Amino acid sequence: MRAIGIVSEYDPFHLGHQYQIRATRSALGEELPVVCAMSGNWTQRGSAAIADKWSRARLALTGGADLILELPTPWAVSSAEFFARGAVDLLTRTGVVDVLSFGSEEGELAGLAAVADCLDSPGFGKRLRKHLDQGMTFPAARHRAVEEILGEGAAVLENPNNNLGIEYLRAIRHLGSGLRPFTVLRQGDGHNHPMSGRGFPSASALRTMLLAG
């Protein structure tokens, strides 16, 4: 094992991100360097980050990362599938990253891998198209199609970090990448949750506070 890769926006870098770095090193090797593929000044939401990329990179380096690489904007503002594919490709091409660490609400790989396999299975596309033709939104149609194949296993799609983790697994497969996936159980407030005072706050809650002064 040579280096840990992490895909990030760090908008802003917070204690949950620091926890992920520390937990990954604790599990895999305290001496391992951490290489981050980070969005630049524009994020997946299609809006500007809360701070410029240099400031966010500096915070990440202070919080435990060793190298920050910029994820090019066409990938950074794309859907989860192409965001993940661009980031996995970037980390793979470094030639030194061999583990991809990501946070998830699931906290283990088996359930995420089952959905990733389902999304790439021969029967999925036909089921998805049927539900889209019935007027369902894409997320709802995808969830229904996976549910028809996996049953309760589709529940992992209800959480955003799980969804992104699934796309990382698919990207590793589609690109023939040698990255080994590793997931850390997400701690603290959920994505887009307001500040609760329990555990780590979400990036969206921090952005709201920063924008409010």
Side-chain angles (χ1 to χ4, degrees), residues 39-63:
S39 302
N41 292 326
W42 297 93
T43 70
Q44 201 181 10
R45 302 187 311 279
S47 59
I50 196 73
D52 67 82
K53 60 188 178 184
W54 308 111
S55 299
R56 291 169 23 250
R58 185 165 56 251
L59 286 171
L61 293 170
T62 302

Side-chain angles (χ1 to χ4, degrees), residues 80 105 142 156-168:
E105 292 87 358
R142 184 178 69 153
V156 299
L157 287 169
E158 295 170 7
N159 294 294
N161 290 279
N162 285 347
N163 270 281
L164 199 50
I166 289 164
E167 295 303 335
Y168 292 143

Side-chain angles (χ1 to χ4, degrees), residues 112-143:
L112 305 178
V115 174
D117 291 341
C118 177
L119 294 176
D120 289 330
S121 65
F124 172 76
K126 185 176 181 180
R127 293 173 185 269
L128 177 66
R129 173 52 54 191
K130 178 186 72 174
H131 296 310
L132 289 173
D133 290 344
Q134 292 171 348
M136 297 179 71
T137 64
F138 179 81
R142 184 178 69 153
H143 191 284

Side-chain angles (χ1 to χ4, degrees), residues 7-93:
V7 184
S8 60
E9 288 189 317
Y10 292 155
D11 185 30
F13 185 89
H14 57 65
L15 292 175
H17 297 135
Q18 186 179 62
Y19 171 83
Q20 180 195 359
I21 292 173
R22 289 179 174 175
T24 304
R25 278 202 174 110
S26 177
L28 301 180
E30 296 289 353
E31 76 288 352
L32 291 174
V34 171
V35 179
C36 298
M38 189 189 81
S39 302
N41 292 326
W42 297 93
T43 70
Q44 201 181 10
R45 302 187 311 279
S47 59
I50 196 73
D52 67 82
K53 60 188 178 184
W54 308 111
S55 299
R56 291 169 23 250
R58 185 165 56 251
L59 286 171
L61 293 170
T62 302
D66 296 288
L67 175 65
I68 310 297
L69 303 176
E70 183 174 354
L71 180 62
T73 300
W75 301 113
V77 300
S78 293
S79 66
E81 179 180 356
F82 294 104
F83 177 91
R85 189 170 298 195
V88 167
D89 186 48
L90 175 61
L91 290 172
T92 301
R93 288 175 183 271

